[in-house]
Amino acid sequence: MPVLVIAEHDNNTLKVSTHPVISAASQLDADIHVLIAGSNAAAAAEEAGKVSGVVKVLHADDAIYAQGLAENLGALIVQIAKDYTHILAPASFFGKNIMPRVAALLDVQQISDITAIESSDTFVRPIYAGNAFATIQSTDSPKVLTVRPTSFDAAAAEGGSASIDQIDSAAETGLASFVGQELTKSERPELAIADIVISGGRGFGSAENFNKLMEPLADRLGAAIGASRAAVDAGYVPNDYQVGQTGKIVAPKLYIAIGISGAIQHLAGMKDSKVIVAINKDEEAPIFSIADYGLVGDLFEIIPELEKALAS
Amino acid sequence: MKILVPVKRVIDAYVTVRVKADESGVETSNVKMSMNPFCEIAIEEAVRLKEAGNAEEIIAVSAGSMQCQETLRTALAMGADRAILIQTEESDLQPLAIAKLLKAITDKENPGLVLMGKQAIDGDHNQTGQMLAALLNWAQGTFASKLDLESDSITVTREIDGGLETLKLKMPAVITTDLRLNEPRYASLPNIMKAKKKPLDVTTPEELGVDITPRYKTIKVSEPPKRQAGTMVESVQDLIEKLHNEAKVI
Ligand SMILES: Cc1cc2nc3c(=O)[nH]c(=O)nc-3n(C[C@H](O)[C@H](O)[C@H](O)COP(=O)(O)OP(=O)(O)OC[C@H]3O[C@@H](n4cnc5c(N)ncnc54)[C@H](O)[C@@H]3O)c2cc1C
Ligand SMILES: Nc1ncnc2c1ncn2[C@@H]1O[C@H](COP(=O)(O)O)[C@@H](O)[C@H]1O
């Protein structure tokens, strides 16, 4: 039996969280089908069909799927679930919202946020903010999994030539309706896949300082900007900048933490980065214990200096 | 309207969690336990809704060992009116089982809202609320950072990958809290005293007719790979030189 990947997309293109899930699915040694449920999302369906390893795309085109409401999307996935041994989605806010609903309707226990696949029923996942890793064996069928995107290489965008099947919608549940959204606009690379991430914390003191110092540095490095919870709570940056246990998980080639103390909840979101740099005025800050390079000093002096040095 | 608030007892957020040497789990003896922070936010929101005249009664519920009574007393001290302990010695209560237990309580109590945490910081599952909504065939408003209650619907602002989203949900509904919904109050001493006299009922999975058999087996719990602390650099020049020549990342 094949496995099913629930694609995350914006009705136009696939989100980058989808490709690592397809690559995780390929470890299960079965045909991979991808569900594109959306409204006028033919372009996304076509894109999914080209991803390496995908043999079939199921395309449900209906206005009720335009915003990925869990109630409607959940009903659709349940309708097609019986044909699959595994159903996988990214452990992004999108997948976290929908998949437990699907699992409960199928009377199975979801396995969240897997970081490795040991066999078709055995998976590894972080618990306690990544302070421990549990290896667990599921007895359920089908297996409903959310996959941590940073733990798997992205499947290649080209190489597949899947068929695209149109499938029927499930009945509209009428439980929820979309009112609006406020998306953060940025010209910078996406936080989840950027090669370089610079993150700021409470040490900046104000939104004005944060933007004034971080933006030129990010531009100089071609980096995405992240933040600690304290920086988000204080309103320096929008919520979707938060890196950590309950925010986004990132694993860039270079992560620079500036004015961030290094609480375990923050480390949970970035400690798989390849190289970590910490800049903090407190030499005792816990962040230094996991940093490859630490620089003690005042960020208000160091950032402009860093930016100037990088320019030359 | 009644509001049901499921709360979980977990290892305190600021304790350094240690894996047991035999890899059977994490060390829990002599470790500080607290209410899961997201559940505190849920209780706080329920209390605010009641204070604003939008709810008559707040019922806190927890599934687990006798010690969960402490967590329920905290909920009562924060402003819940009564509490229910679903007592079980099953040490591996998984989200689907908890959602089924909560459904049984919901069927009995008929709340207009279930307000709960988005995630328990021990298992980091982030599932129970969505599962409960599914089992009840109710709408779900997950990762909520703002609520607006109307007569037969609730408008929820949710934290999503790219920013914020607003949904209108039919009531009754399940709401799960994100960090920015509110800042929970501390229970005052008089309220802690008063909480001791508030009703706390005890039931069991058997009484509720719910099968809580685990659906997965934990084979082992291991330490994460340790990161070595690196080197301290003396200057910006030094840092750039290292990133360029040694780490080769810029
Ligand atoms: C349930 C729960 C979930 C959480 N989830 C997350 C999460 O997902 N992500 C997250 O980040 N946090 C999370 N937290 C919060 C976490 O515990 C910390 O409170 C938070 O990470 C602290 O942010 P910070 O490092 O910016 O602030 P602080 O801890 O206040 O640290 C500020 C740092 O800036 C330094 N500094 C100050 N001024 C300067 C200067 N001029 N130059 C250089 N350095 C300076 C200080 O020395 C200090 O180290 C969570 C907490 C809980 C309870
Ligand atoms: N044992 C429990 N008793 C009561 N509520 C629980 C329990 N476990 C989880 N919950 C609720 O479900 C939320 C999410 O937990 P989880 O799905 O485990 O991350 C928590 O914040 C609680 O509101």
Side-chain angles (χ1 to χ4, degrees):
Chain A
M1 272 213 284
V3 301
L4 179 66
V5 170
I6 313 302
E8 182 170 7
H9 62 84
D10 62 4
N11 292 311
N12 212 351
T13 57
L14 292 180
K15 294 272 180 73
V16 291
S17 56
T18 304
H19 301 82
V21 182
I22 294 173
S23 128
S26 71
Q27 294 183 19
L28 294 165
D29 288 327
D31 282 355
I32 299 172
H33 296 183
V34 172
L35 174 69
I36 299 282
S39 176
N40 296 320
E46 216 162 284
E47 187 186 345
K50 292 195 189 119
V51 177
S52 169
V54 178
V55 305
K56 190 195 271 189
V57 174
L58 306 179
H59 181 203
D61 199 356
D62 194 319
I64 63 173
Y65 303 127
Q67 276 89 22
L69 291 179
E71 294 79 2
N72 290 336
L73 197 46
L76 175 70
I77 298 168
V78 168
Q79 190 167 289
I80 56 177
K82 61 176 189 316
D83 299 329
Y84 298 97
T85 57
H86 297 71
I87 305 175
L88 305 89
S92 57
F93 283 55
F94 163 82
K96 289 175 183 174
N97 184 38
I98 288 163
M99 296 300 268
R101 192 162 182 113
V102 171
L105 293 172
L106 295 170
D107 194 29
V108 302
Q109 173 57 55
Q110 171 179 298
I111 312 293
S112 298
D113 210 13
I114 61 168
T115 56
I117 297 178
E118 303 224 314
S119 72
S120 63
D121 66 0
T122 306
F123 311 96
V124 180
R125 59 178 304 268
I127 54 176
Y128 294 95
N131 281 307
F133 279 80
T135 304
I136 62 183
Q137 186 173 29
S138 162
T139 54
D140 277 324
S141 164
K143 301 195 192 324
V144 173
L145 310 168
T146 63
V147 175
R148 178 174 286 202
T150 53
S151 298
F152 295 86
D153 293 332
E158 301 286 337
S161 55
S163 60
I164 300 182
D165 288 10
Q166 304 297 324
I167 62 164
D168 291 336
S169 313
E172 148 81 299
T173 57
L175 293 171
S177 57
F178 178 78
V179 177
Q181 61 186 15
E182 226 176 278
L183 297 185
T184 309
K185 285 193 192 67
S186 166
E187 301 297 312
R188 296 202 179 82
E190 222 177 296
L191 188 52
I193 50 157
D195 280 339
I196 303 181
V197 172
I198 60 172
S199 271
R202 204 197 309 266
F204 284 81
S206 72
E208 198 195 345
N209 290 340
F210 193 103
N211 295 328
K212 190 178 71 195
L213 290 161
M214 291 290 267
E215 284 179 2
L217 182 60
D219 290 341
R220 185 67 64 198
L221 288 165
I225 298 181
S228 69
R229 172 190 172 184
V232 176
D233 285 1
Y236 305 172
V237 287
N239 62 286
D240 59 312
Y241 283 47
Q242 182 177 317
V243 170
Q245 179 185 18
T246 57
K248 287 204 171 118
I249 309 291
V250 301
K253 293 202 179 83
L254 173 61
Y255 187 92
I256 309 184
I258 311 172
I260 291 179
S261 60
I264 51 170
Q265 294 89 358
H266 187 80
L267 304 188
M270 45 66 80
K271 67 181 175 185
D272 289 335
S273 305
K274 201 164 142 261
V275 175
I276 296 174
V277 172
I279 299 171
N280 197 301
K281 70 175 181 191
D282 171 12
E283 62 184 289
E284 305 278 307
I287 189 81
F288 287 124
S289 69
I290 60 140
D292 299 287
Y293 302 105
L295 179 55
V296 177
D298 185 343
L299 66 89
F300 293 99
E301 287 161 22
I302 290 175
I303 297 182
E305 207 184 313
L306 192 57
E307 205 231 317
K308 219 165 98 205
L310 287 166
S312 61
Chain B
M1 174 176 83
K2 286 189 203 174
I3 302 179
L4 188 73
V5 187
V7 296
K8 189 173 192 194
R9 173 182 150 92
V10 298
I11 295 183
D12 187 86
Y14 298 101
V15 165
T16 307
V17 171
R18 297 195 196 288
V19 171
K20 285 186 186 161
D22 66 0
E23 298 202 320
S24 63
V26 304
E27 206 54 73
T28 49
S29 47
N30 295 319
V31 168
K32 183 178 177 210
M33 305 294 285
S34 299
M35 187 190 298
N36 179 41
F38 290 98
C39 302
E40 286 183 349
I41 296 171
I43 290 278
E44 175 65 33
E45 196 65 17
V47 174
R48 290 186 191 186
L49 285 169
K50 188 180 168 193
E51 286 169 349
N54 288 318
E56 282 83 53
E57 190 182 32
I58 301 166
I59 308 160
V61 49
S62 191
S65 67
M66 277 307 269
Q67 278 95 26
C68 298
Q69 290 198 14
E70 283 170 32
T71 315
L72 289 169
R73 291 288 170 207
T74 305
L76 294 169
M78 286 175 74
D81 298 292
R82 64 188 167 92
I84 303 170
L85 170 65
I86 308 167
Q87 198 192 339
T88 162
E89 292 313 314
E90 171 62 63
S91 58
D92 193 12
L93 266 183
Q94 297 175 358
L96 180 64
I98 295 162
K100 288 180 178 177
L101 293 169
L102 295 174
K103 174 173 190 298
I105 299 287
T106 305
D107 287 343
K108 277 198 177 152
E109 299 285 350
N110 288 311
L113 268 186
V114 180
L115 261 170
M116 54 202 288
K118 79 163 179 181
Q119 176 173 348
I121 59 164
D122 49 2
D124 283 336
H125 292 291
N126 195 328
Q127 298 181 16
T128 311
Q130 298 87 314
M131 288 187 149
L132 176 62
L135 298 177
L136 291 164
N137 194 26
W138 287 7
Q140 65 185 55
T142 55
F143 327 144
S145 62
K146 189 167 177 285
L147 301 180
D148 279 303
L149 199 62
E150 290 114 61
S151 57
D152 58 351
S153 69
I154 183 164
T155 302
V156 183
T157 303
R158 311 177 49 233
E159 300 204 354
I160 58 170
D161 292 298
L164 296 170
E165 171 184 87
T166 307
L167 302 180
K168 192 174 180 131
L169 310 181
K170 216 173 111 182
M171 298 262 277
V174 175
I175 306 291
T176 76
T177 61
D178 217 317
L179 294 168
R180 282 162 282 276
L181 183 60
N182 61 48
E183 239 174 84
R185 69 193 65 191
Y186 288 101
S188 66
L189 197 57
N191 285 341
I192 293 172
M193 298 313 289
K194 264 192 250 161
K196 294 189 174 154
K197 296 200 191 77
K198 291 185 181 175
L200 192 163
D201 293 331
V202 181
T203 181
T204 62
E206 296 73 38
E207 272 176 24
L208 296 169
V210 175
D211 177 6
I212 57 166
T213 313
R215 300 295 191 88
Y216 63 76
K217 191 169 84 202
T218 300
I219 294 170
K220 66 169 183 185
V221 173
S222 44
E223 294 258 9
K226 280 266 173 310
R227 258 198 110 95
Q228 298 297 326
T231 48
M232 299 303 280
V233 296
E234 294 302 323
S235 67
V236 166
Q237 276 313 331
D238 204 8
L239 176 64
I240 291 179
E241 191 273 320
K242 289 256 176 12
L243 291 177
H244 193 69
N245 297 324
E246 196 176 271
K248 298 188 168 48
V249 284
I250 58 170

